[in-house]
Amino acid sequence: MDSRGFHVECRLDAVDAAMAAVCAFAGDALAPDDLIRLEIALTEALTNIVLHGGLPPGAGIGVTVRKVPSGVSVEIRDPGRPVPADLFQAARDPADLDPLAESGRGIPLIVALSDALHYEGRDGANRLTLRFGGRDA
Amino acid sequence: MIHSHVRPHGICIIRPEGDRLTALGANAFRQEASDLIDAGSNRIVIDLSAVRFVDSSGLGAIVGLLKKVGNRGEVVVCGLGDAVRQMFRVTRMERVFQIFPDADAAVAALDG
């Protein structure tokens, strides 16, 4: 199983740079539409951590991308504040949000565009795992 | 952060700089485009043909411009690539914005 780790500094420009590297690595394991879903969901997840994660000074974000038989699994680790227990379960469909809202779409997009999502926060670390691929067209 | 060009009849074409409109540059894009609206532009084409990717912050900035113009004018978008179109589709922005294939088509529609 092919995998690669990425270290993302807690800055918005580092998110954009990391996404280019992640997509280059994952591109041959996903259909084009699945890769777009990964790019949107992972960008939203990393941006949320940078803007709202409350990471300690100097701390970064770890991303591990694994090519699995049905697509790609992405694990995101950060040492910031734990998220509310129901944050992802309570997310609304992005299509149901106020279309004129200027914010608040990040978590709904992560949930809607990933094929599986698991979050675990313990021992001072957050671990979000997203899977992409295998969705019927 | 943006390139702007005013066509005849006051239609302003705005092109974000760079191939990603994300949280990194969304505020600057919004501010610069907002300054154009304050200066009198209220028929606006946002040309995304050079933008490969838009995140929710970029989308929020575009929505903010639509709200700022309100019923004083129009804001339309054009040149959506695959990733941007998927973002518009999943957030139902296709119901909010008129979308055109390119700037010429958008200008023709606004001018029609």
Side-chain angles (χ1 to χ4, degrees):
Chain A
M1 189 168 60
D2 197 5
S3 69
R4 185 170 299 175
F6 302 84
H7 176 78
V8 185
E9 300 288 341
C10 191
R11 304 189 319 267
L12 291 175
D13 63 320
V15 171
D16 277 2
M19 287 312 307
V22 167
C23 290
F25 175 69
D28 65 355
L30 290 171
D33 277 358
D34 291 341
L35 184 62
I36 291 170
R37 290 193 292 110
L38 180 153
E39 185 171 14
I40 295 172
L42 184 54
T43 298
E44 298 295 340
L46 294 174
T47 299
N48 265 334
I49 294 169
V50 170
L51 294 180
H52 310 298
L55 268 61
I61 306 162
V63 176
T64 301
V65 181
R66 296 183 177 86
K67 296 178 183 177
V68 297
S70 61
V72 167
S73 170
V74 182
E75 181 185 274
I76 307 154
R77 302 171 306 279
D78 75 86
R81 289 188 297 267
V83 304
D86 66 344
L87 179 72
F88 297 106
Q89 288 88 342
R92 296 171 63 191
D93 187 324
D96 295 335
L97 300 175
D98 175 2
L100 295 180
E102 297 177 44
S103 61
R105 292 188 176 88
I107 299 297
L109 283 167
I110 295 168
V111 173
L113 295 178
S114 56
D115 293 310
L117 181 155
H118 178 74
Y119 169 77
E120 185 179 58
R122 66 179 181 191
D123 301 328
N126 300 297
R127 186 185 304 263
L128 176 66
T129 306
L130 306 174
R131 191 176 58 73
F132 302 89
R135 179 183 286 195
D136 290 336
Chain B
M1 195 58 216
I2 66 173
H3 301 281
S4 63
H5 174 67
V6 179
R7 293 275 190 99
H9 306 117
I11 298 171
C12 183
I13 300 175
I14 295 174
R15 294 186 173 92
E17 191 175 285
D19 68 346
R20 289 173 67 86
L21 181 56
T22 64
L24 177 63
N27 285 340
F29 166 76
R30 183 199 310 248
Q31 186 58 57
E32 291 183 36
S34 187
D35 290 345
L36 291 172
I37 296 170
D38 289 338
S41 295
N42 57 22
R43 303 172 76 198
I44 292 174
V45 176
I46 300 176
D47 182 355
L48 297 171
S49 55
V51 177
R52 195 191 58 76
F53 181 83
V54 173
D55 75 354
S56 65
S57 299
L59 197 65
I62 294 171
V63 170
L65 296 176
L66 176 73
K67 290 164 67 176
K68 185 176 178 75
V69 168
N71 58 14
R72 292 179 291 122
E74 292 179 83
V75 176
V76 304
V77 298
C78 71
L80 276 58
D82 291 344
V84 180
R85 184 168 292 280
Q86 183 153 332
M87 179 60 116
F88 270 64
R89 187 167 55 237
V90 75
T91 56
R92 298 292 192 268
M93 286 297 115
E94 292 163 321
R95 296 180 184 176
V96 176
F97 290 96
Q98 283 189 275
I99 300 172
F100 296 93
D102 54 41
D104 286 342
V107 169
L110 289 183
D111 220 9

